[in-house]
Amino acid sequence: MISVAVHRNLLRLIGFCTTTTERLLVYPFMQNLSVAYCLRERKPEEPVLDWNLSTGKSSERTDVFGYGIMLLELVTGQRAIDFSRLEEEDDVLLLDHVKKLEREKRLDAIVDRNLNRNYNIQEVEMMIQVALLCTQASPENRPAMSEVVRMLEGEGLAERWEEWQHVEVTRIQEYERMQRRFDWGEDSVYNQDAIELSGGR
């Protein structure tokens, strides 16, 4: 299935090797390695992927949600799913982690530490806002890629962001209301004694 995927922004799978001890996928040579490598696996002597992360070209329409997650990975330098975060918090998903920090207005805690505060905070804020708009739960609420390009160029982002914040506040309030509704304590009238079930079915 991977080998038949053909897209201008994807590497074509050439083949694979498998032995009793390892399985390898063979792709064309990437001189600059992958984005994941540059963000998380580079050696100390290798250059950091700096903020001025740009080709000047926009691509054809793509999966907007995936694009939003990629923006979050670029800004944070972290994986989209990281179980090591369970040691400090409940947010395994990068999206939830960033949403929480954004609500707390802790933008500095979101940005990749490898940048050593060498970035434009207004651009960071814009990138995070665009990423969160792209990763809304309802696909119909996500912007088209053409709109994403305009927002990254500074056009129409403020209005969309204000709408998103209103929706997000309403969603959080609804979630908390549901939590309180079903958060039954030990003395709850809804607590029932265990009953014995009839035989196997």
Side-chain angles (χ1 to χ4, degrees):
M1 289 299 291
I2 299 173
S3 66
V4 297
V6 178
H7 190 278
R8 56 180 288 181
N9 295 324
L10 292 177
L11 286 174
R12 181 75 182 264
L13 179 67
I14 296 173
F16 70 94
C17 304
T18 180
T19 69
T20 55
T21 57
E22 59 186 356
R23 296 174 183 170
L24 303 174
L25 298 179
V26 182
Y27 286 100
F29 176 67
M30 294 185 291
Q31 183 174 349
N32 296 323
L33 302 176
S34 66
V35 174
Y37 178 90
C38 293
L39 290 173
R40 296 183 287 269
E41 301 167 25
R42 67 178 184 84
K43 297 177 176 63
E45 66 273 10
E46 292 176 334
V48 173
L49 193 61
D50 64 23
W51 185 249
N52 296 315
L53 310 159
S54 175
T55 63
K57 298 177 183 176
S58 59
S59 65
E60 299 169 1
R61 184 180 177 94
T62 57
D63 179 355
V64 176
F65 185 92
Y67 182 77
I69 294 297
M70 183 197 71
L71 285 182
L72 293 181
E73 287 195 278
L74 288 173
V75 171
T76 64
Q78 298 179 34
R79 290 182 172 84
I81 301 174
D82 188 352
F83 289 99
S84 68
R85 275 195 289 271
L86 282 175
E87 297 172 7
E88 301 176 10
E89 54 184 290
D90 294 332
D91 296 325
V92 171
L93 299 179
L94 178 60
L95 177 57
D96 294 338
H97 178 67
V98 170
K99 277 186 177 180
K100 176 184 169 189
L101 292 174
E102 193 282 327
R103 279 196 305 270
E104 297 169 356
K105 305 299 180 195
R106 296 171 55 200
L107 294 185
D108 286 346
I110 294 175
V111 183
D112 187 350
R113 291 181 187 146
N114 287 320
L115 290 172
N116 293 318
R117 297 184 179 271
N118 186 21
Y119 53 83
N120 182 308
I121 192 65
Q122 284 79 28
E123 291 180 354
V124 165
E125 188 171 16
M126 179 186 70
M127 292 276 280
I128 292 169
Q129 290 176 359
V130 170
L132 293 180
L133 288 172
C134 289
T135 53
Q136 294 179 83
S138 300
E140 61 270 16
N141 292 335
R142 298 173 196 155
M145 280 306 296
S146 57
E147 188 179 356
V148 170
V149 171
R150 288 197 300 272
M151 289 190 293
L152 289 172
E153 292 172 345
E155 188 181 320
L157 176 57
E159 296 82 4
R160 281 298 297 258
W161 182 246
E162 190 174 337
E163 290 173 18
W164 181 85
Q165 285 185 307
H166 177 71
V167 170
E168 189 69 3
V169 166
T170 304
R171 185 190 67 79
I172 291 170
Q173 288 172 343
E174 183 64 26
Y175 176 76
E176 289 173 347
R177 189 164 42 251
M178 293 294 288
Q179 287 275 69
R180 286 194 298 272
R181 183 175 170 192
F182 294 107
D183 190 18
W184 301 324
E186 291 182 359
D187 298 327
S188 170
V189 295
Y190 294 99
N191 284 344
Q192 300 290 326
D193 292 332
I195 59 173
E196 185 175 337
L197 296 175
S198 60
R201 293 187 173 26

